[in-house]
Protein backbone atom coordinates (compact mmCIF):
# COMPACT_ATOMS: atom_id res chain seq x y z
CA UNK A 1 0.00 0.00 0.00
CA UNK A 2 1.45 3.38 -1.02
CA UNK A 3 0.62 6.29 1.31
CA UNK A 4 1.36 10.00 1.59
CA UNK A 5 3.95 11.05 4.18
CA UNK A 6 6.43 13.78 5.15
CA UNK A 7 10.08 12.77 5.36
CA UNK A 8 13.49 14.27 6.06
CA UNK A 9 15.50 13.28 2.96
CA UNK A 10 18.87 13.69 4.72
CA UNK A 11 20.35 14.80 8.05
CA UNK A 12 19.10 18.27 9.10
CA UNK A 13 17.31 18.71 5.73
CA UNK A 14 13.82 20.25 5.75
CA UNK A 15 10.99 17.73 5.66
CA UNK A 16 9.16 17.38 2.37
CA UNK A 17 6.16 15.46 1.02
CA UNK A 18 6.82 11.92 -0.15
CA UNK A 19 5.08 8.60 -0.77
CA UNK A 20 6.03 5.46 1.20
CA UNK A 21 5.10 1.80 1.13
CA UNK A 22 3.22 0.12 4.00
CA UNK A 23 3.30 -3.65 4.35
CA UNK A 24 0.26 -5.81 3.70
CA UNK A 25 -1.87 -6.45 6.80
CA UNK A 26 -0.64 -9.69 8.41
CA UNK A 27 -2.67 -12.00 10.65
CA UNK A 28 -1.77 -10.07 13.84
CA UNK A 29 -1.60 -6.61 12.25
CA UNK A 30 -3.83 -3.56 12.41
CA UNK A 31 -4.12 -1.02 9.59
CA UNK A 32 -4.65 2.43 11.10
CA UNK A 33 -5.94 5.44 9.22
CA UNK A 34 -3.86 8.08 11.00
CA UNK A 35 -5.78 11.23 11.97
CA UNK A 36 -3.20 13.11 14.03
CA UNK A 37 0.53 12.88 14.75
CA UNK A 38 2.33 14.84 17.46
CA UNK A 39 5.75 16.43 16.97
CA UNK A 40 8.16 15.25 19.69
CA UNK A 41 11.57 16.82 20.23
CA UNK A 42 12.95 13.31 19.63
CA UNK A 43 11.73 13.63 16.03
CA UNK A 44 13.92 16.72 15.74
CA UNK A 45 16.93 15.06 17.41
CA UNK A 46 16.56 12.20 14.93
CA UNK A 47 16.16 14.35 11.83
CA UNK A 48 19.08 16.55 12.88
CA UNK A 49 21.33 13.55 13.56
CA UNK A 50 21.85 14.57 17.22
CA UNK A 51 21.85 10.89 18.18
CA UNK A 52 24.03 9.79 15.27
CA UNK A 53 23.19 9.19 11.65
CA UNK A 54 19.87 7.60 10.80
CA UNK A 55 18.60 5.60 7.83
CA UNK A 56 17.44 8.61 5.77
CA UNK A 57 14.96 9.35 4.36
CA UNK A 58 13.14 9.18 7.69
CA UNK A 59 9.43 9.74 8.29
CA UNK A 60 9.29 10.79 11.95
CA UNK A 61 6.28 10.59 14.25
CA UNK A 62 5.68 8.38 17.27
CA UNK A 63 2.63 10.07 18.74
CA UNK A 64 0.05 8.53 16.46
CA UNK A 65 -3.73 8.38 16.79
CA UNK A 66 -6.30 7.27 14.28
CA UNK A 67 -9.07 4.87 13.42
CA UNK A 68 -8.72 1.16 12.73
CA UNK A 69 -9.33 0.57 9.01
CA UNK A 70 -8.60 -3.17 8.80
CA UNK A 71 -7.51 -5.99 11.13
CA UNK A 72 -5.74 -9.28 10.47
CA UNK A 73 -7.48 -12.64 10.95
CA UNK A 74 -6.00 -13.25 14.44
CA UNK A 75 -6.68 -9.80 15.90
CA UNK A 76 -9.27 -9.78 18.69
CA UNK A 77 -8.37 -6.69 20.76
CA UNK A 78 -9.12 -4.08 18.09
CA UNK A 79 -11.99 -3.69 15.64
CA UNK A 80 -12.56 -1.64 12.52
CA UNK A 81 -13.69 1.85 13.56
CA UNK A 82 -11.94 1.82 16.98
CA UNK A 83 -10.00 4.90 18.15
CA UNK A 84 -6.43 3.74 18.62
CA UNK A 85 -2.91 4.99 19.21
CA UNK A 86 0.69 3.96 18.59
CA UNK A 87 3.66 5.31 20.50
CA UNK A 88 7.44 4.96 20.24
CA UNK A 89 7.68 1.22 19.63
CA UNK A 90 6.01 -1.20 17.24
CA UNK A 91 7.53 -4.51 18.30
CA UNK A 92 9.81 -6.33 20.77
CA UNK A 93 10.94 -9.92 21.27
CA UNK A 94 8.08 -10.71 23.68
CA UNK A 95 10.13 -13.45 25.38
CA UNK A 96 12.91 -11.80 27.41
CA UNK A 97 12.51 -11.05 31.11
CA UNK A 98 11.82 -7.36 30.46
CA UNK A 99 9.15 -8.04 27.83
CA UNK A 100 7.50 -10.59 30.12
CA UNK A 101 7.52 -7.99 32.92
CA UNK A 102 5.71 -5.50 30.70
CA UNK A 103 8.83 -3.40 30.11
CA UNK A 104 8.92 -3.93 26.34
CA UNK A 105 10.76 -0.61 26.00
CA UNK A 106 13.75 -2.29 27.68
CA UNK A 107 13.58 -5.48 25.56
CA UNK A 108 16.94 -7.26 25.76
CA UNK A 109 16.92 -7.78 21.99
CA UNK A 110 16.02 -4.13 21.51
CA UNK A 111 12.50 -2.90 20.93
CA UNK A 112 11.62 -1.85 17.40
CA UNK A 113 11.23 1.95 17.29
CA UNK A 114 8.27 3.33 15.33
CA UNK A 115 10.65 5.03 12.89
CA UNK A 116 14.31 4.76 11.91
CA UNK A 117 14.35 1.23 13.33
CA UNK A 118 14.69 -2.19 11.75
CA UNK A 119 11.45 -4.10 11.80
CA UNK A 120 11.35 -7.87 12.36
CA UNK A 121 11.03 -8.37 8.59
CA UNK A 122 14.25 -6.40 8.00
CA UNK A 123 12.60 -3.26 6.61
CA UNK A 124 13.21 0.22 8.03
CA UNK A 125 10.26 1.51 10.06
CA UNK A 126 8.63 4.80 9.05
CA UNK A 127 6.60 6.86 11.50
CA UNK A 128 3.38 8.72 11.91
CA UNK A 129 3.74 11.78 9.69
CA UNK A 130 1.73 9.79 7.18
CA UNK A 131 -1.85 8.82 6.40
CA UNK A 132 -1.73 5.11 7.29
CA UNK A 133 0.44 2.69 9.24
CA UNK A 134 0.39 -1.09 9.76
CA UNK A 135 1.33 -2.15 13.29
CA UNK A 136 1.38 -5.41 15.25
CA UNK A 137 -1.86 -5.43 17.27
CA UNK A 138 0.01 -5.95 20.58
CA UNK A 139 1.57 -2.49 20.15
CA UNK A 140 -1.71 -0.70 19.38
CA UNK A 141 -3.36 1.12 22.29
CA UNK A 142 -7.04 1.96 22.77
CA UNK A 143 -7.79 5.67 23.03
CA UNK A 144 -10.65 6.01 25.52
CA UNK A 145 -13.72 8.13 24.76
CA UNK A 146 -13.50 11.31 26.79
CA UNK A 147 -10.15 12.48 25.39
CA UNK A 148 -10.28 14.57 22.23
CA UNK A 149 -8.48 12.53 19.56
CA UNK A 150 -6.02 15.28 18.52
CA UNK A 151 -5.20 16.07 22.17
CA UNK A 152 -4.62 12.35 22.81
CA UNK A 153 -1.79 12.05 20.27
CA UNK A 154 0.95 13.52 22.51
CA UNK A 155 0.00 11.12 25.30
CA UNK A 156 1.54 8.28 23.27
CA UNK A 157 5.04 9.65 23.94
CA UNK A 158 5.02 12.81 26.10
CA UNK A 159 2.29 11.32 28.30
CA UNK A 160 3.79 7.92 28.95
CA UNK A 161 7.38 9.22 29.20
CA UNK A 162 6.39 11.38 32.16
CA UNK A 163 3.70 9.10 33.66
CA UNK A 164 6.10 6.16 33.96
CA UNK A 165 8.79 7.79 36.13
CA UNK A 166 6.17 9.68 38.16
CA UNK A 167 4.55 6.31 39.00
CA UNK A 168 7.84 4.50 39.46
CA UNK A 169 9.21 7.06 41.93
CA UNK A 170 5.92 7.39 43.80
CA UNK A 171 4.61 10.85 42.89
CA UNK A 172 1.46 11.40 44.95
CA UNK A 173 0.07 13.12 48.03
CA UNK A 174 2.81 14.39 50.34
CA UNK A 175 5.47 14.30 47.62
CA UNK A 176 7.19 17.39 46.29
CA UNK A 177 7.81 17.00 42.56
CA UNK A 178 9.67 19.45 40.32
CA UNK A 179 9.45 19.47 36.54
CA UNK A 180 12.35 21.02 34.65
CA UNK A 181 11.38 22.51 31.26
CA UNK A 182 7.80 23.39 30.34
CA UNK A 183 7.63 21.99 26.81
CA UNK A 184 5.78 18.96 25.43
CA UNK A 185 6.95 16.48 28.06
CA UNK A 186 7.08 19.07 30.83
CA UNK A 187 3.49 20.23 30.47
CA UNK A 188 2.28 16.60 30.57
CA UNK A 189 4.45 15.96 33.66
CA UNK A 190 2.76 18.89 35.40
CA UNK A 191 -0.75 17.70 34.53
CA UNK A 192 -0.07 14.09 35.50
CA UNK A 193 1.86 14.81 38.73
CA UNK A 194 -0.92 17.20 39.79
CA UNK A 195 -3.58 14.58 39.01
CA UNK A 196 -1.60 12.05 41.08
CA UNK A 197 -1.88 14.44 44.03
CA UNK A 198 1.74 15.63 44.29
CA UNK A 199 2.82 19.19 45.10
CA UNK A 200 4.19 20.35 41.74
CA UNK A 201 6.83 22.98 40.98
CA UNK A 202 7.85 24.09 37.49
CA UNK A 203 11.47 25.05 36.92
CA UNK A 204 11.55 26.93 33.63
CA UNK A 205 14.23 29.13 32.12
CA UNK A 206 12.12 32.25 32.71
CA UNK A 207 8.76 33.28 34.18
CA UNK A 208 7.25 33.81 30.70
CA UNK A 209 4.97 30.77 30.95
CA UNK A 210 4.16 31.09 34.67
CA UNK A 211 0.43 31.68 34.17
CA UNK A 212 0.21 28.59 31.95
CA UNK A 213 2.17 26.49 34.41
CA UNK A 214 -0.19 27.34 37.26
CA UNK A 215 -3.23 26.71 35.04
CA UNK A 216 -1.83 23.29 34.06
CA UNK A 217 -1.71 22.31 37.73
CA UNK A 218 1.58 23.56 39.19
CA UNK A 219 1.56 24.90 42.75
CA UNK A 220 4.81 26.86 42.32
CA UNK A 221 6.84 28.24 39.42
CA UNK A 222 10.45 29.41 39.43
CA UNK A 223 12.92 30.72 36.86
CA UNK A 224 16.16 28.78 36.58
CA UNK A 225 17.70 31.84 34.92
CA UNK A 226 17.59 33.43 38.39
CA UNK A 227 20.51 32.05 40.46
CA UNK A 228 18.56 32.73 43.69
CA UNK A 229 16.18 29.91 42.68
CA UNK A 230 18.86 27.32 43.40
CA UNK A 231 19.53 28.77 46.87
CA UNK A 232 15.91 29.21 47.85
CA UNK A 233 14.85 25.70 46.80
CA UNK A 234 17.94 23.80 48.04
CA UNK A 235 17.15 20.36 49.51
CA UNK A 236 13.41 20.65 48.79
CA UNK A 237 12.23 18.01 46.30
CA UNK A 238 11.56 14.27 46.55
CA UNK A 239 11.59 13.89 42.78
CA UNK A 240 12.77 16.06 39.91
CA UNK A 241 11.81 15.12 36.35
CA UNK A 242 14.22 16.75 33.91
CA UNK A 243 12.65 17.09 30.46
CA UNK A 244 15.24 19.47 28.98
CA UNK A 245 16.41 18.61 25.49
CA UNK A 246 19.82 20.26 26.04
CA UNK A 247 22.63 20.05 28.60
CA UNK A 248 21.89 21.24 32.11
CA UNK A 249 24.08 21.80 35.16
CA UNK A 250 23.28 18.46 36.83
CA UNK A 251 24.94 19.39 40.13
CA UNK A 252 22.79 22.49 40.48
CA UNK A 253 19.61 20.41 40.14
CA UNK A 254 20.85 17.60 42.41
CA UNK A 255 21.29 20.28 45.07
CA UNK A 256 17.52 20.82 44.99
CA UNK A 257 16.82 17.24 46.12
CA UNK A 258 15.95 16.25 49.68
CA UNK A 259 17.70 13.26 51.32
CA UNK A 260 16.85 10.14 49.27
CA UNK A 261 15.53 12.31 46.46
CA UNK A 262 15.85 11.32 42.79
CA UNK A 263 16.62 13.37 39.71
CA UNK A 264 15.33 11.44 36.71
CA UNK A 265 16.40 12.42 33.23
CA UNK A 266 13.91 11.90 30.48
CA UNK A 267 15.43 14.67 28.37
CA UNK A 268 17.85 13.12 25.89
CA UNK A 269 20.49 15.54 24.61
CA UNK A 270 23.11 13.93 22.38
CA UNK A 271 26.07 15.25 24.35
CA UNK A 272 27.18 13.68 27.66
CA UNK A 273 26.22 15.28 30.97
CA UNK A 274 28.60 15.27 33.91
CA UNK A 275 28.23 15.49 37.66
CA UNK A 276 30.25 15.74 40.84
CA UNK A 277 29.62 12.64 42.97
CA UNK A 278 29.55 14.77 46.11
CA UNK A 279 26.20 16.11 44.87
CA UNK A 280 24.86 12.56 45.37
CA UNK A 281 26.86 11.45 48.41
CA UNK A 282 25.91 14.46 50.52
CA UNK A 283 22.25 13.44 50.79
CA UNK A 284 21.99 9.80 49.54
CA UNK A 285 20.54 11.12 46.30
CA UNK A 286 19.99 9.21 43.04
CA UNK A 287 20.43 10.28 39.45
CA UNK A 288 18.30 8.14 37.12
CA UNK A 289 16.94 7.84 33.62
CA UNK A 290 13.71 6.54 32.16
CA UNK A 291 12.54 5.73 28.63
CA UNK A 292 8.85 5.88 27.61
CA UNK A 293 6.89 3.05 29.34
CA UNK A 294 5.57 -0.44 28.66
CA UNK A 295 2.48 -1.21 26.60
CA UNK A 296 0.23 -2.10 29.56
CA UNK A 297 1.47 0.97 31.40
CA UNK A 298 0.74 3.13 28.35
CA UNK A 299 -2.86 1.87 28.36
CA UNK A 300 -3.02 2.58 32.10
CA UNK A 301 -1.80 6.15 31.42
CA UNK A 302 -4.42 6.69 28.69
CA UNK A 303 -7.16 5.46 31.03
CA UNK A 304 -5.77 7.68 33.83
CA UNK A 305 -5.88 10.75 31.57
CA UNK A 306 -9.44 9.91 30.43
CA UNK A 307 -10.53 9.44 34.05
CA UNK A 308 -9.06 12.84 34.92
CA UNK A 309 -10.46 14.28 31.69
CA UNK A 310 -7.36 15.74 30.12
CA UNK A 311 -5.22 15.37 27.04
CA UNK A 312 -2.33 17.54 25.92
CA UNK A 313 -2.55 21.28 25.20
CA UNK A 314 -1.95 21.35 21.48
CA UNK A 315 -1.53 23.60 18.48
CA UNK A 316 -2.98 21.84 15.44
CA UNK A 317 -0.95 22.45 12.27
CA UNK A 318 -1.05 21.43 8.63
CA UNK A 319 1.74 19.42 7.03
CA UNK A 320 3.27 22.45 5.31
CA UNK A 321 3.90 23.99 8.76
CA UNK A 322 6.07 21.10 10.03
CA UNK A 323 9.43 22.75 9.34
CA UNK A 324 8.34 25.99 10.98
CA UNK A 325 7.06 24.01 13.97
CA UNK A 326 10.49 22.35 14.31
CA UNK A 327 12.11 25.78 14.50
CA UNK A 328 9.61 26.91 17.10
CA UNK A 329 10.22 23.80 19.25
CA UNK A 330 13.97 24.45 19.07
CA UNK A 331 13.32 28.01 20.25
CA UNK A 332 11.22 26.72 23.23
CA UNK A 333 8.23 28.40 21.55
CA UNK A 334 5.70 25.58 21.84
CA UNK A 335 2.45 25.65 23.82
CA UNK A 336 2.64 22.83 24.38
CA UNK A 337 2.68 20.30 21.56
CA UNK A 338 2.37 20.68 17.81
CA UNK A 339 0.03 18.11 16.30
CA UNK A 340 -0.20 17.50 12.56
CA UNK A 341 -3.62 17.12 10.97
CA UNK A 342 -2.80 14.24 8.62
CA UNK A 343 -5.70 15.17 6.33
CA UNK A 344 -3.29 17.85 5.01
CA UNK A 345 -0.55 15.38 4.02
CA UNK A 346 -1.37 15.20 0.36
P1 LIG B 1 10.36 20.42 24.09
O1 LIG B 1 8.90 20.52 23.85
O2 LIG B 1 11.30 21.16 23.22
O3 LIG B 1 10.60 20.83 25.63
C1 LIG B 1 11.89 20.95 26.18
C2 LIG B 1 11.88 22.14 27.15
O4 LIG B 1 13.16 22.21 27.76
C3 LIG B 1 11.71 23.49 26.48
O5 LIG B 1 10.37 23.85 26.27
C4 LIG B 1 12.37 24.43 27.49
O6 LIG B 1 11.47 24.68 28.55
C5 LIG B 1 13.51 23.57 28.03
N1 LIG B 1 14.78 23.86 27.37
C6 LIG B 1 15.08 23.77 26.05
N2 LIG B 1 16.34 24.12 25.81
C7 LIG B 1 16.88 24.44 27.01
C8 LIG B 1 18.17 24.86 27.43
N3 LIG B 1 19.16 25.03 26.54
N4 LIG B 1 18.37 25.05 28.75
C9 LIG B 1 17.38 24.89 29.64
N5 LIG B 1 16.13 24.49 29.30
C10 LIG B 1 15.89 24.27 28.00
O7 LIG B 1 10.84 18.92 24.00
P2 LIG B 1 10.06 17.56 24.40
O8 LIG B 1 9.39 17.01 23.21
O9 LIG B 1 9.31 17.80 25.65
O10 LIG B 1 11.30 16.59 24.67
C11 LIG B 1 12.25 16.92 25.68
C12 LIG B 1 13.42 15.96 25.66
O11 LIG B 1 12.97 14.66 26.05
C13 LIG B 1 14.07 15.76 24.29
O12 LIG B 1 15.47 15.63 24.47
C14 LIG B 1 13.48 14.44 23.80
O13 LIG B 1 14.29 13.77 22.88
C15 LIG B 1 13.41 13.70 25.10
N6 LIG B 1 12.47 12.57 25.11
C16 LIG B 1 12.82 11.49 25.84
C17 LIG B 1 11.96 10.43 25.94
C18 LIG B 1 12.31 9.26 26.80
O14 LIG B 1 11.74 8.19 26.62
N7 LIG B 1 13.22 9.41 27.75
C19 LIG B 1 10.73 10.46 25.27
C20 LIG B 1 10.40 11.60 24.55
C21 LIG B 1 11.27 12.66 24.49
P3 LIG B 1 11.39 26.11 29.28
O15 LIG B 1 11.12 27.10 28.19
O16 LIG B 1 10.25 25.96 30.22
O17 LIG B 1 12.68 26.35 29.98
ZN1 LIG C 1 8.77 11.26 21.69
Amino acid sequence: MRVHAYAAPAAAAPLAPTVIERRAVGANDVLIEIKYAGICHSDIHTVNGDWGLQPYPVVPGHEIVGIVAEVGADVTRHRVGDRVGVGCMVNSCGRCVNCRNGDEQYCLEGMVPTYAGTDRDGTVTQGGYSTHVVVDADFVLSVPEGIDLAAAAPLLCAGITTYSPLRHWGAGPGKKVAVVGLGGLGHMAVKIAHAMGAEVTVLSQSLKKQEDGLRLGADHYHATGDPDTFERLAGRFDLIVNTVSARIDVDAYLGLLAVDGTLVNVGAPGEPLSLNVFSLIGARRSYAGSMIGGIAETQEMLDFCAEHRFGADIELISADQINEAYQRVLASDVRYRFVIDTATLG
Side-chain angles (χ1 to χ4, degrees), residues 150-182:
L155 302 181
L156 276 303
C157 175
I160 184 58
T161 299
T162 49
Y163 180 90
S164 184
L166 287 167
R167 261 275 177 274
H168 185 82
W169 277 281
K175 294 283 173 147
K176 291 187 168 66
V177 174
V179 175
V180 189
L182 194 66

Side-chain angles (χ1 to χ4, degrees), residues 40 42 62-63 88 157-158 337:
C40 177
S42 300
H62 57 208
E63 294 184 336
C88 300
C157 175
R337 202 56 142 182

Side-chain angles (χ1 to χ4, degrees), residues 39-45 51 62-63 88 157-158 161 180-187 202-206 208-209 221 224 242-248 253 265-270 289-293 328-334 336-337:
I39 294 180
C40 177
H41 205 119
S42 300
D43 301 348
I44 302 172
H45 286 309
W51 298 336
H62 57 208
E63 294 184 336
C88 300
C157 175
T161 299
V180 189
L182 194 66
L185 266 56
H187 97 289
V202 173
L203 302 174
S204 179
Q205 293 169 93
S206 73
K208 271 192 292 198
K209 295 178 275 190
Y221 200 105
T224 54
N242 170 30
T243 75
V244 173
S245 48
R247 293 182 67 163
I248 58 157
Y253 289 90
N265 234 84
V266 290
S290 183
M291 187 172 73
I292 49 172
R328 286 183 55 193
V329 171
L330 287 169
S332 300
D333 177 24
V334 51
Y336 281 85
R337 202 56 142 182

Side-chain angles (χ1 to χ4, degrees), residues 47-66:
V47 164
N48 287 348
D50 294 346
W51 298 336
L53 283 183
Q54 306 292 331
Y56 301 101
V58 61
V59 176
H62 57 208
E63 294 184 336
I64 301 170
V65 292

